[in-house]
Amino acid sequence: MKIGLLGFGSMGRTHAWAVDNLKYFYKDLPFDAGIEGVYTRTFETAKSASAAFCFPIAAKSEDELIYNDDIDVIDICTPNISHYETLKKAICAGKHVYCEKPLCVTEAQALEIAELAEKKGVVGKIVFNTRYLAPMLRAKQLADEGKLGRILSFRSSFLHSSATDISKPSKWKQNRDICGGGVLFDLGSHAIDLVYHICGRFKEVSGKSQIAFETRLGPDLKPWKTNADEAFYMIAELECGAVGTIEVSKIAAGSNDDFTLEVYGTKGSIKFSLMDPNFLYFYDNTLSPGELGAERGFKKIECVGRYPCPAGIFPGVSAPSGWLRGHLGSMYAFLDAVYKNDTCAHPNMWDAYHIQKVMEAAYESDRVKHPVSI
């Protein structure tokens, strides 16, 4: 499979790394994949990336890759506002698409893309990489086995400190004109997805945005009026009846990549932290309390490198895994779906559409100051 990579910032490099390393982590791959060409905003950057990483094509436009008959997959790592038009072109050209979140910047755009991908019969997946870390694979397994029982409540948070220093010039993800939203689109899409992935679809949300620093330095080092949320807070009800909170922020001093999920059910509970990516904490509420607590308490499950076949062969089941392993698993799941022509593989364009609906409803709730149904 030949991949056309659009964008070569941190996510473009991450995706290229994942493609390159599949053969080490997955045994007897039935397919071969490689980056055939790269496009970036400036041709000089594309040429530099092509030379440094041995990509055969340095493209002068994204169309050069999208309409290249030799290319099977378009991998989209460009700013959010450009996703919609690129996705439409790629899908209509019969390419399978792998797109960084969020899928688009409006619910209407996301719906159109999901419908188009289904109509054209292409594999389309959104990059929710945290789903593929071993603890989250185990959490999904426990939920599907009924070990949590009926879900009652949840708490998801994703905290960064990247916007606390107002002496630093702002970047494109802080600019609503390029990002389409603020931290809700960037970190919030991940936090919402994990709740959706483990607990099910959303029914209603209440949202509140926060801009802590109304003026900061722009990219040109001149004073710039902040136009995108720096933190966002949600109370949500799910279709299953569970109620919980979602908090995302780039103004949480002292945090790094602090992504956590807690889910509480009638039979059990789980806790996960991205800063502790090798373990899942599980509480079995069916055990008898007994004297001195008996066997009750949160159990620390050593997920580590114990990925299901055909993974788990490298670097070994006891070797700790980190953030990149989620992207590797996400890329494998996508390319495996392309190989099998599995157009329903999750997280697909319809999953991305649901997340887009939740985020749009949260922004609407913030605007009208009352809950909004999904």
Side-chain angles (χ1 to χ4, degrees):
M1 285 176 265
K2 294 182 178 179
I3 300 169
L5 180 59
L6 309 183
F8 203 65
S10 60
M11 284 300 98
R13 285 172 175 260
T14 299
H15 291 200
W17 176 90
V19 172
D20 239 14
N21 283 278
L22 287 172
K23 57 185 175 290
Y24 297 105
F25 288 81
Y26 292 87
K27 186 178 181 180
D28 299 328
L29 279 177
F31 57 82
D32 187 26
I35 307 296
E36 181 70 7
V38 62
Y39 163 74
T40 62
R41 188 170 55 85
T42 65
F43 183 52
E44 289 302 316
T45 306
K47 283 199 301 182
S48 175
S50 176
F53 296 89
C54 300
F55 305 145
I57 301 171
K60 292 183 178 179
S61 73
E62 67 177 26
D63 289 0
E64 188 178 334
L65 300 178
I66 291 172
Y67 298 112
N68 184 326
D69 291 339
D70 290 334
I71 287 178
D72 309 291
V73 168
I74 295 296
D75 185 340
I76 302 170
C77 298
T78 51
N80 304 344
I81 57 166
S82 66
H83 289 185
Y84 170 66
E85 293 296 340
T86 301
L87 282 161
K88 279 203 302 183
K89 287 190 292 184
I91 293 169
C92 287
K95 308 300 185 187
H96 305 290
V97 289
Y98 188 62
C99 185
E100 269 296 334
K101 52 74 197 167
L103 184 63
C104 300
V105 295
T106 70
E107 175 187 337
Q109 288 179 350
L111 175 59
E112 183 180 344
I113 293 303
E115 291 177 335
L116 185 61
E118 186 174 279
K119 179 182 176 182
K120 294 293 184 180
V122 302
V123 175
K125 292 193 75 172
I126 190 79
V127 183
F128 286 130
N129 50 287
T130 311
R131 286 188 180 204
Y132 296 95
L133 289 172
M136 289 314 305
L137 295 174
R138 183 69 175 118
K140 178 64 173 170
Q141 191 177 63
L142 288 169
D144 289 349
E145 290 172 351
K147 295 294 178 66
L148 304 184
R150 180 165 64 92
I151 305 300
L152 302 176
S153 64
F154 58 88
R155 179 165 54 189
S156 181
S157 67
F158 204 164
L159 309 179
H160 278 191
S161 60
S162 54
T164 55
D165 185 357
I166 61 172
S167 67
K168 291 170 56 179
S170 59
K171 297 182 179 179
W172 71 266
K173 287 188 177 182
Q174 295 169 264
N175 188 340
R176 195 182 188 95
D177 297 335
I178 302 174
C179 194
V183 69
L184 181 62
F185 270 16
D186 187 18
L187 305 182
S189 52
H190 281 299
I192 293 166
D193 177 68
L194 279 196
V195 173
Y196 167 61
H197 182 51
I198 301 298
C199 306
R201 297 172 66 86
F202 284 70
K203 180 181 178 181
E204 181 182 273
V205 297
S206 296
K208 176 63 178 176
S209 65
Q210 180 184 14
I211 292 178
F213 303 101
E214 293 187 0
T215 303
R216 57 171 65 245
L217 287 182
D220 59 0
L221 302 182
K222 295 179 180 178
W224 177 71
K225 185 173 176 58
T226 307
N227 66 1
D229 45 289
E230 298 170 324
F232 203 96
Y233 312 90
M234 291 171 54
I235 298 175
E237 180 183 358
L238 307 183
E239 288 184 355
C240 67
V243 177
T245 62
I246 296 173
E247 176 188 358
V248 291
S249 175
K250 290 188 175 180
I251 50 173
S255 34
N256 291 287
D257 209 19
D258 293 4
F259 189 5
T260 62
L261 176 70
E262 299 173 13
V263 178
Y264 301 96
T266 54
K267 292 184 178 180
S269 305
I270 57 167
K271 293 182 180 182
F272 165 75
S273 170
L274 185 58
M275 298 302 287
D276 188 15
N278 295 289
F279 300 94
L280 178 70
Y281 294 82
F282 172 60
Y283 183 87
D284 188 345
N285 198 38
T286 66
L287 296 175
S288 173
E291 188 176 358
L292 298 175
E295 298 299 318
R296 274 198 170 183
F298 272 94
K299 179 180 181 181
K300 187 176 182 179
I301 301 175
E302 50 178 35
C303 302
V304 199
R306 292 174 173 82
Y307 289 87
C309 288
I313 59 168
F314 176 83
V317 295
S318 299
S321 74
W323 179 82
L324 280 169
R325 188 60 183 79
H327 274 282
L328 188 80
S330 179
M331 181 63 74
Y332 168 76
F334 167 67
L335 293 176
D336 189 56
V338 172
Y339 172 71
K340 295 174 179 175
N341 197 31
D342 182 1
T343 58
C344 296
H346 300 283
N348 57 32
M349 301 290 98
W350 288 109
D351 297 314
Y353 167 58
H354 184 69
I355 302 304
Q356 200 82 45
K357 285 172 63 177
V358 175
M359 293 189 297
E360 191 156 310
Y363 275 134
E364 177 65 7
S365 172
D366 182 43
R367 187 182 70 82
V368 299
K369 311 302 181 190
H370 62 68
V372 172
S373 295
I374 307 301

